[in-house]
Amino acid sequence: MEDIKKRIEYLTKELNYHNHKYYVEDAPEISDFDFDKMLKELEELEAKYPEYKRADSPTVRVGGEASSTFAEVRHEVPMQSLQKAFSKQEILDFDSRVRMVVPDAEYVVEHKIDGLSVSIEYENGLLTRASTRGDGITGEDITENVKTIRSVPLALKDKIPYLEVRGEVFISEDNFNKINTMLENTEQPLFANPRNAAAGSLRQLDPKIAAKRELDIFVFNIQRVEGITISSHIDGLRFLREQGFKTILNDRVFKTIDEAFDEILKIGEERDKLYFGIDGAVIKVNDFAARERLGVTSKFPKWAIAYKYPAEQKTTVLREIKIQVGRTGVLTPLALFDTVRVAGSNVSKATLHNIDYIREKDIRIGDTIVIEKAGDIIPAVTDVVKDKRTGGEREFEMPAVCPECGALVVRVEGEAASRCTGVNCPAQRFRNIVHFVSRPAMDIDGLGPSVIEQMLKRELISTAADLYYIKADDIAAMDKLGEKSAANILAALEKSKTNPLYRLINALGIRLIGEKAAKVLAEHYKTIDALMSADEEELTEIYDVGAKMAKSIVEFFAEEQNTAFIKRLTDAGVNCKYDESENSADERFIGKTFVLTGTLEKYKRAEAAAIIESKGGKTSSSVSKKTDYVLAGSEAGSKLTKALSLGVTVLTEDEFEQMIQGD
């Protein structure tokens, strides 16, 4: 029984993580097919062992969380998800449940579009509001972005008093490839798949960007309507077509479940010929009165089910494994293989994640491999055809040094990732400099990400240490800057030279060493030279410094480019010694809990949180009676509402600054 409990806990944790990646960050890491299989397993385990069901189980949710970037919209009619089926038997079981209530039920079958579900509202025939599904109850207002979709009518054919429809916004395969080509040419991150591109486009704050993406939509449901009566799904979609909406249903009604399932198989066979992505087909009861009799659960309607197609698989030959170094220094193996067409697009490469993944699947260079790309998601190497091995295949080893800069590559115990330790690594350069100048680190005003990016492009700097050698004329010549900006930046750089030692230690970006640990190290060693000379055994004797932290520190200072970086800082006059006045700790927020919400103008949330924690306070992600303060920026949503209802003190940024300054 303990194994069952652990499995439920594991599935809950994994699904909540991927739910957040999909619905909040728009950055999926696994296919819908794999996600739904895990969810189905969890549902079955919870049904058998309800005593182990966790309070945070994803099975009680309709979807993900609404982002606070846009104004919130509460759906009067919940935008529910669909129950899933992976086999014909599950479809037959669905039919049996339906016919127990509606013996003469008739079905419609439609494509399950792989996009972003939205609600669009009309009053007196005019489009008034559009919103995302969000968590099914609360979504985001994306009206201006939806208006840029050319297949969305801004005015209906008839002046209907009120109409709310639900549709799926998507990007065609051809358009998706054009967008990614453009992003690649401008060295911007690529979209993982067409659905990811559609979601990212709809959630752009600037509608002009959304307009350039050429989004499309299929409307598939009437959520609410006033002024007319519609009795069936077919009649509803015919009505929607008359009003100017783009729909996909072929108007066929199926009297038996076998006929409906044959249609599902037919749609599946045509997937590669479609210009839009689908990840399944949906069976719905046609008659609305029958739907009322069948009812709904808290998560999905009992009158519909989605059949999920298994992932399409193709075999190809792995020719090479190349290493990519990310902005955080993580080395990721990338499989390069003979081009193969999977799920409607040509694929020639796929991430292999880490060395553990390669070892687990026993992937070797020269192997015949199995490629899977369910629902146009990120391609993956799922298996190796070992029967086709000739003996000439080669095992892959992670490099000992970074291919970008030659620095030592390390792997922290307990982590899957291998990382470059070089502070000057070109792949990490931008991120390292942004961290160096940030508030918790050297706190250099005027050097925002856009300024740093421009300095790098103009080759004025290559590392953060170069900032202290930059000339006023070079800064003044940059876009949107001038002599006054140059003077301010140089003054901020000069001021930063007198920062306490712990700020410099934190600014170095040593793995596992944050502001708190930096303070401990500064107070203990007094100089950067003494810290650089410390060994692991000595470091672990310090309270709050663990074995992993000690190893990370020693490995960092063992790298020649890192010691050269520090010498360049020292030569520039940056303070590298501890001042006893640093020990006068500011604990004005000790025992106080803050919640941050909305968009802050003067700080990033991480910066505000660091200030609070540096003064003894704590931050929380949710508002409760135990919350002392809510720091609210613009477009603050439900957290602000809850704070007001509980009588929690709400702070503006100006009031927060006054508290920091002791007023």
Side-chain angles (χ1 to χ4, degrees):
M1 298 295 282
E2 187 64 22
D3 288 343
I4 298 295
K5 182 180 179 182
K6 287 182 178 179
R7 183 62 180 169
I8 288 176
E9 289 176 348
Y10 169 79
L11 289 170
T12 300
K13 183 179 179 181
E14 281 292 293
L15 287 165
N16 280 335
Y17 170 79
H18 289 298
N19 235 348
H20 186 85
K21 296 294 289 185
Y22 182 109
Y23 290 101
V24 179
E25 299 183 19
D26 295 328
E29 293 182 351
I30 62 173
S31 70
D32 280 359
F33 186 80
D34 289 337
F35 181 95
D36 290 334
K37 282 184 72 175
M38 280 199 294
L39 186 61
K40 189 172 184 63
E41 180 185 355
L42 181 59
E43 288 172 338
E44 290 173 352
L45 287 173
E46 288 178 347
K48 290 181 181 179
Y49 307 98
E51 66 271 25
Y52 295 141
K53 183 173 181 177
R54 290 167 54 103
D56 62 343
S57 171
T59 61
V60 302
R61 294 167 59 87
V62 178
E65 303 167 10
S67 169
S68 61
T69 306
F70 297 88
E72 290 186 351
V73 175
R74 189 165 183 85
H75 302 303
E76 293 298 324
V77 177
M79 296 178 70
Q80 294 184 303
S81 57
L82 292 171
Q83 52 185 315
K84 309 294 193 305
F86 299 90
S87 66
K88 183 175 182 179
Q89 185 57 52
E90 289 173 286
I91 295 295
L92 295 175
D93 292 343
F94 164 75
D95 179 60
S96 297
R97 294 193 297 271
V98 168
R99 294 195 186 280
M100 286 175 64
V101 180
V102 186
D104 58 348
E106 295 180 338
Y107 298 111
V108 292
V109 179
E110 57 193 32
H111 300 70
K112 188 176 184 299
I113 311 299
D114 194 14
L116 185 75
S117 196
V118 300
S119 159
I120 310 175
E121 299 172 71
Y122 294 81
E123 293 182 21
N124 297 318
L126 296 176
L127 193 159
T128 55
R129 186 168 67 175
S131 53
T132 62
R133 176 175 174 264
D135 63 2
I137 303 299
T138 304
E140 303 168 317
D141 190 322
I142 52 167
T143 306
E144 296 307 312
N145 287 345
V146 167
K147 284 182 178 179
T148 69
I149 303 174
R150 294 184 181 273
S151 48
V152 171
L154 299 178
L156 303 179
K157 179 183 177 183
D158 301 322
K159 291 187 177 181
I160 301 160
Y162 179 83
L163 174 67
E164 179 184 0
V165 299
R166 180 173 175 177
E168 197 81 3
V169 174
F170 65 94
I171 286 180
S172 69
E173 183 71 35
D174 286 345
N175 195 32
F176 168 71
N177 291 332
K178 290 177 185 176
I179 292 170
N180 263 357
T181 299
M182 179 197 71
L183 293 174
E184 189 170 21
N185 291 339
T186 54
E187 298 183 347
Q188 298 181 63
L190 305 185
F191 286 115
N193 51 70
R195 182 189 59 213
N196 181 236
S201 302
L202 272 180
R203 299 176 74 242
Q204 287 285 340
L205 291 174
D206 185 357
K208 293 178 182 176
I209 297 176
K212 292 178 181 177
R213 301 278 169 81
E214 298 181 20
L215 299 165
D216 206 341
I217 188 172
F218 283 117
V219 173
F220 60 83
N221 202 55
I222 295 175
Q223 298 291 90
R224 287 191 296 162
V225 65
E226 296 175 7
I228 61 167
T229 301
I230 298 173
S231 60
S232 73
H233 191 71
I234 289 288
D235 289 343
L237 290 189
R238 286 171 180 162
F239 162 76
L240 290 175
R241 280 201 291 267
E242 291 172 1
Q243 296 302 317
F245 291 101
K246 184 175 181 178
T247 66
I248 198 172
L249 195 69
N250 59 14
D251 287 10
R252 290 185 62 194
V253 177
F254 303 95
K255 295 184 179 296
T256 71
I257 196 66
D258 286 327
E259 291 175 348
F261 191 74
D262 286 344
E263 181 67 13
I264 286 176
L265 297 179
K266 180 182 176 183
I267 291 173
E269 291 171 358
E270 297 173 347
R271 287 176 71 186
D272 284 349
K273 301 174 185 177
L274 301 173
Y275 70 92
F276 51 88
I278 64 171
D279 57 358
V282 182
I283 297 178
K284 297 178 180 178
V285 172
N286 183 42
D287 185 71
F288 286 172
R291 290 184 182 183
E292 288 290 329
R293 288 159 60 193
L294 287 161
V296 299
T297 70
S298 61
K299 296 179 292 179
F300 50 73
K302 295 180 180 179
W303 42 262
I305 192 167
Y307 179 83
K308 302 285 283 187
Y309 296 118
E312 181 182 1
Q313 295 183 331
K314 294 288 179 68
T315 59
T316 184
V317 177
L318 176 62
R319 299 298 180 185
E320 183 185 352
I321 297 179
K322 180 182 177 182
I323 289 293
Q324 290 184 318
V325 184
R327 284 190 172 184
T328 62
V330 173
L331 275 66
T332 302
L334 184 72
L336 304 180
F337 43 81
D338 293 342
T339 301
V340 62
R341 189 165 184 80
V342 187
S345 62
N346 293 326
V347 179
S348 59
K349 56 188 176 181
T351 179
L352 293 175
H353 306 293
N354 51 60
I355 192 65
D356 289 347
Y357 185 87
I358 294 172
R359 292 286 179 264
E360 179 188 340
K361 295 189 176 295
D362 190 20
I363 299 170
R364 304 179 187 181
I365 299 168
D367 268 335
T368 297
I369 54 176
V370 178
I371 304 297
E372 185 176 293
K373 189 164 171 276
D376 291 330
I377 200 73
I378 304 169
V381 178
T382 61
D383 205 354
V384 175
V385 185
K386 295 180 181 178
D387 292 345
K388 293 193 175 184
R389 281 184 173 165
T390 63
E393 295 79 14
R394 294 180 289 114
E395 289 192 6
F396 171 79
E397 297 290 343
M398 289 293 286
V401 297
C402 174
E404 292 285 345
C405 70
L408 181 70
V409 170
V410 300
R411 179 178 176 181
V412 177
E413 185 180 347
E415 291 190 5
S418 298
R419 296 176 184 273
C420 168
T421 58
V423 72
N424 295 346
C425 182
Q428 305 177 68
R429 188 171 290 155
F430 174 76
R431 177 184 175 276
N432 287 346
I433 298 173
V434 168
H435 169 71
F436 186 91
V437 305
S438 66
R439 285 180 186 268
M442 294 300 279
D443 190 18
I444 305 173
D445 287 335
L447 288 177
S450 60
V451 174
I452 291 169
E453 193 169 16
Q454 197 177 160
M455 286 180 172
L456 287 168
K457 285 183 177 179
R458 289 172 176 253
E459 298 184 350
L460 300 177
I461 59 173
S462 60
T463 72
D466 296 335
L467 292 168
Y468 294 98
Y469 297 87
I470 200 166
K471 293 180 170 56
D473 291 346
D474 289 333
I475 300 174
M478 291 168 60
D479 296 341
K480 297 183 180 180
L481 297 178
E483 292 182 4
K484 185 175 181 181
S485 295
N488 290 338
I489 289 172
L490 290 177
L493 284 163
E494 194 63 30
K495 180 183 175 184
S496 74
K497 292 180 181 180
T498 62
N499 277 341
L501 175 59
Y502 82 85
R503 283 191 174 275
L504 173 60
I505 296 172
N506 186 29
L508 294 176
I510 304 171
R511 178 80 175 149
L512 304 178
I513 304 302
E515 187 174 9
K516 181 180 177 182
K519 287 181 177 179
V520 171
L521 293 169
E523 185 178 355
H524 184 87
Y525 284 102
K526 310 299 184 187
T527 69
I528 195 72
D529 287 339
L531 175 60
M532 290 168 66
S533 301
D535 59 31
E536 287 187 45
E537 184 178 354
E538 178 186 332
L539 284 160
T540 53
E541 291 176 358
I542 303 171
Y543 184 74
D544 277 345
V545 177
K548 292 181 181 178
M549 295 167 67
K551 190 173 190 296
S552 179
I553 293 167
V554 171
E555 287 174 340
F556 181 87
F557 289 121
E559 184 56 51
E560 186 177 345
Q561 63 176 268
N562 295 345
T563 55
F565 174 78
I566 292 167
K567 185 179 187 307
R568 190 157 166 76
L569 290 173
T570 305
D571 291 345
V574 175
N575 175 52
C576 295
K577 295 182 179 180
Y578 179 77
D579 188 325
E580 291 298 332
S581 63
E582 292 182 39
N583 202 26
S584 55
D586 180 352
E587 297 184 339
R588 71 187 65 190
F589 293 154
I590 195 164
K592 301 297 183 183
T593 300
F594 289 71
V595 172
L596 313 180
T597 184
T599 303
L600 303 177
E601 295 181 3
K602 299 181 181 180
Y603 307 91
K604 292 181 179 178
R605 285 197 189 184
E607 293 172 346
I611 292 171
I612 291 165
E613 290 166 5
S614 71
K615 300 182 186 302
K618 295 189 298 183
T619 57
S620 174
S621 60
S622 59
V623 179
S624 69
K625 291 180 180 179
K626 295 181 180 180
T627 304
D628 295 289
Y629 300 104
V630 169
L631 175 56
S634 60
E635 300 181 4
S638 58
K639 292 178 184 178
L640 175 59
T641 303
K642 188 171 183 179
L644 294 172
S645 69
L646 293 175
V648 174
T649 301
V650 177
L651 301 173
T652 64
E653 284 190 76
D654 289 339
E655 290 169 334
F656 179 62
E657 285 201 326
Q658 289 173 10
M659 290 178 70
I660 294 170
Q661 295 162 6
D663 296 339

